[in-house]
Amino acid sequence: TNNRGDPSYRRDDKSSMNILASYSWLKEYCKTDASPEVFAQEISLRAMSVEHIDIVAARFENIVVGEVKEIVAHPNANKLRIAKTSIGDRIVEIVCGGTNLAVGQRVVVALPGAKVRWHGEGDLIELKETEIRGVKSIGMICAAVEVGFEKIAAGDHDIWDITALTNAAAGTPLAKALDLDDIIFDIEITTNRPDAMGILGLAREGAASVEGTFAPHALWLAGAVQKVLGGVGAGPRLGPAVRRRG
């Protein structure tokens, strides 16, 4: 998930481990125009094996930012309401049981064709236009767990209010609004290559594999450290010794 943070590791056996690496993060240090597929192919041939390519945005196909414009009571259900919600090119009516639903919120709207996990449980289901207690509902206003964000704290019947997370206009694809339009490589790293168990090491290998430019920003970091330390032991020999950890 922009959520970037440290890479996630998964140990497979004693001779290797796997690292999940964001392509957009790698490209901060490996300057290349190679497509994700070409990058994965070339680094697999010359360095370490890319076992899987995860196109993150594909998980959020047909899921967009919505803006709640009006809320009215459901005529046939006390615990349900009808949210008149802008999805950019039109306003749609969505039947919703979210207890924290409010006018003005930016919300996650899964449109027909989107795949969600109902209440965060079971298999993914593909949404279709439907009637809920006699009222037509175009899509679904989702809770965080229903679109794969299980670790976000929320009440049992809360929808995911993303107002504070994005200023994206209604109708913007969720992946773009939350900076999730990325590629994740699942890369096997053998234990004799500890230098490649971080983003910098992988970027260096990637740059060599696709004839890109490796740009670790070491000189910028050295200058920043010298500026912070001032005259306290900060000499000209400090710069070359400073490296950013991957």
Side-chain angles (χ1 to χ4, degrees), residues 27-45:
K27 288 174 74 173
E28 289 183 15
Y29 307 105
C30 169
K31 306 304 181 182
T32 176
D33 294 324
S35 69
E37 293 78 13
V38 169
F39 183 90
Q41 180 181 38
E42 295 303 315
I43 198 171
S44 295
L45 287 172

Side-chain angles (χ1 to χ4, degrees), residues 30 36 56 72 82 92 94 97 110 112 114 117 119 123 130 154 181 184 205 207 212 217-218 243:
C30 169
V56 179
V72 298
I82 302 170
V92 297
I94 303 174
R117 205 173 303 278
H119 298 302
D123 297 329
T130 187
D181 192 4
I184 303 297
E205 293 293 334
H217 312 314
R243 296 291 184 270

Side-chain angles (χ1 to χ4, degrees), residues 19-144:
I19 182 172
L20 301 180
S22 156
Y23 193 31
S24 63
W25 193 5
L26 285 169
K27 288 174 74 173
E28 289 183 15
Y29 307 105
C30 169
K31 306 304 181 182
T32 176
D33 294 324
S35 69
E37 293 78 13
V38 169
F39 183 90
Q41 180 181 38
E42 295 303 315
I43 198 171
S44 295
L45 287 172
R46 293 170 172 79
M48 53 281 304
S49 175
V50 176
E51 297 187 341
H52 180 70
I53 301 175
D54 182 8
I55 304 173
V56 179
R59 307 177 197 171
F60 306 104
E61 189 174 355
N62 295 316
I63 301 179
V64 302
V65 174
E67 184 176 348
V68 180
K69 296 295 188 180
E70 183 182 355
I71 300 173
V72 298
H74 193 294
N76 303 315
N78 293 334
K79 294 185 179 181
L80 298 176
R81 292 180 289 173
I82 302 170
K84 297 183 179 181
T85 305
S86 171
I87 55 170
D89 59 346
R90 66 190 191 278
I91 292 177
V92 297
E93 293 189 349
I94 303 174
V95 176
C96 181
T99 54
N100 64 329
L101 185 69
V103 171
Q105 286 176 332
R106 289 187 187 87
V107 294
V108 177
V109 177
L111 297 170
K115 293 181 179 180
V116 301
R117 205 173 303 278
W118 192 256
H119 298 302
E121 300 175 351
D123 297 329
L124 290 171
I125 59 170
E126 183 174 332
L127 294 184
K128 299 178 181 179
E129 288 189 20
T130 187
E131 283 193 8
I132 300 176
R133 300 292 294 272
V135 175
K136 188 175 182 179
S137 183
I138 308 298
M140 171 182 175
I141 296 178
C142 299

